[in-house]
Amino acid sequence: MTDAALDAPRGPKPRPALSRRNVFLYGTLLVVSVYYLLPLYVMIVTSLKGMPEIRLGNIFSPPVEVTFEPWVKAWSSACTGLNCDGLSRGFWNSVRILVPSVVMSIAIASVNGYALANWRFRGADLFFTILIFGAFIPYQVMIYPIVILLREVGLYTDLFGLVIVHTIFGMPILTLLFRNYFTTVPEDLFKAARVDGAGFWGIYFRIMLPMSLPIFVVAIILQVTGIWNDFLFGVVYTKPENYPMTVQLNNIVNSVQGVKEYNVNMAATLLTGLVPLVIYFVSGKLFVRGIAAGAVKG
Amino acid sequence: MSSVSVRDISLNFGAIRVLQDLNLEVEEGEFLVLLGPSGCGKSTLLNCIAGLLDVSDGQIFIKGRNVTWQEPKDRGIGMVFQSYALYPQMSVEGNLSFGLRNQGMARDKVRERVDRAAKMLQIENLLARKPAQLSGGQRQRVAIGRALVRDAEVFLFDEPLSNLDAKLRSELRVEIKRLHQKLTNTMIYVTHDQIEALTLADRIAVMKGGVIQQLDVPHTIYNRPRNLYVAGFIGSPSMNFLDGEIVAQDGGLVFRLGSHEVPLQDYVADIDLRPAANAVFGVRPEHVEVFQGDADGSKPTFPAVVDLEEPMGADSLVWMTLEGQQLSARVEASRRFRRGDEVRVAFNLPMTSVFDRQTEDRM
């Protein structure tokens, strides 16, 4: 045997930085990121320009004179119909819709999922099937019947009516999410808690809840983004002073009177998208963990 | 009065009958082991006693109280699980006191009980830790402690040592035995490990297919297995089974193995021995004596040929062929055997078992 054969392959295998594989990989990633980030860039840049600068037509160029005027206007004085108090009204409406909807839907769905996973009551399978079936019914079919239902109980155009609608529509997917998560909790744990004398609620609050932070984060993200971005239910089940932010945004952007204020529109859109964006950034890691945990077992 | 009494218990999951008319009486302070392969219904039976599964039929009494419809917490039991089942978000102390706090017990009394259990199990210095920071042995100790603090009348163990490595398992086995001697509670212990069963039990119930095959003290289970199943399941290395027939000869009975005859006058029978065309001669490897060269002539010997030798440390297992059938014998580790060696074997007759091939019962 020669000396070279004895010496050469030893330790970690060398990996050239500029191999064909790497060029392809990072090249593709770069192109895809530009594709997704460019519109965002245009929006941010435009929202920081004044109208004269926008009229020049260079949508990719950075602002010569940075101005926050459009953001202020979008938030506090843009007109939708008769109201000229900007998006702030819609923002607070959305918050008033969002918070109770998220809390209620998650509270109910987590108990549902827990009961379905751990307490095998009579008819549990049938109940679960019906619930899952609900996830596949198109919304459009249910819009008008719900209008009638809400009208009959006197909640049509009321914010609370919309909260109920969001809670119900969140139920199938959230229940499934929680059920799948709770079935991964070892059964012995549940049995041990029963021997220790904990009941339905005792086990739920003191054993299951503290173990389930990741899946609650997932549920919160799903619900916050879903409900915040909702347009259809918002426009159908509320009246103009109760419109959520998305509906108001549409009314600002699509208003046909006067000059198209692109910078204000862009700022308004960014403002509306800010809440889901913040949620994603804050909880990204937990989100991935929770999704993976919930998906392991069906 | 029995401590635990299981009367005519049946349990069905849909069409599957897991337990069938099962009866079991456990004496006060007894250590009873339920032994069987996985799927034999032993854990299911334990869960029924604990109240974690509803029975389809029958009754369960604990200390003379009919607890058939009672919740697990009201049955006066403590349970230890194979997977430890410690509450991951609670400290060791939280785990130990969870059951007591659920009872609404006063705080200083809880403290006292927890300290006592922790002392008994030598986990006092771990009380503030979370289960994730404990080793397997420590976790199982905490799990035992959780049953201990409840001052239960009956302790139920569901394969508590199966998740531990061999060394730790034998250590904790001794500890459980000591604990039982100290507490003198009734304990029901489920395992598939026969060594655990033989070392721990006052009595062993060998189960198969939801039916108790034999319920007796370990000595009897080992030496007088009631049927072929028990004989084959208990003992490692396992019992040799030789096919043959029982015939009457010269006023006595012999077991005919091909051209050889094993006299049965020293055999300890369960029922009256009678001639049978299809019988099985069961002998444990340690009850087979192997002679290289001349036998001492005090008992009948039979010729066999050595196939292979398995050294096991303290002794060796020698595999031989006798009349075309496999036979193993336990011999001193210092003795050497080679493939093809011609040897003579003798049986320790009082320690053997003869089974009827049809009924599979011991005769």
Side-chain angles (χ1 to χ4, degrees), chain A residues 119 186 188-199 202-203 206-208 210-211, chain B residues 47 51-52 71-73 77 81 83 85-90 98-99 101-102 146 150:
Chain A
W119 298 83
D188 278 355
L189 211 56
F190 176 74
K191 286 181 178 174
R194 276 188 73 195
V195 173
D196 270 341
I203 296 174
R206 295 169 65 188
I207 309 293
M208 295 300 183
M211 289 180 64
Chain B
N47 277 313
L52 294 167
E71 279 295 303
K73 67 180 162 81
I77 52 150
F81 297 87
S83 60
L86 298 180
Y87 313 124
Q89 75 284 0
M90 294 184 199
F98 185 65
R101 282 182 283 138
N102 280 332
R146 198 167 52 183
R150 305 189 71 238

Side-chain angles (χ1 to χ4, degrees), chain A residues 107-124:
Chain A
I108 297 172
S110 62
V111 175
N112 275 353
Y114 159 67
L116 283 166
N118 292 309
W119 298 83
R120 305 293 306 161
F121 55 91
R122 195 184 293 269

Side-chain angles (χ1 to χ4, degrees), chain B residues 30 60 82 86 127 189-190 204 218 252 273 280 290 325 351:
Chain B
E30 188 177 8
I60 296 167
Q82 178 181 352
L86 298 180
L127 283 179
Y189 188 105
V190 164
I204 298 174
L273 264 188
V280 179
V290 185
Q325 301 194 54
M351 307 303 283

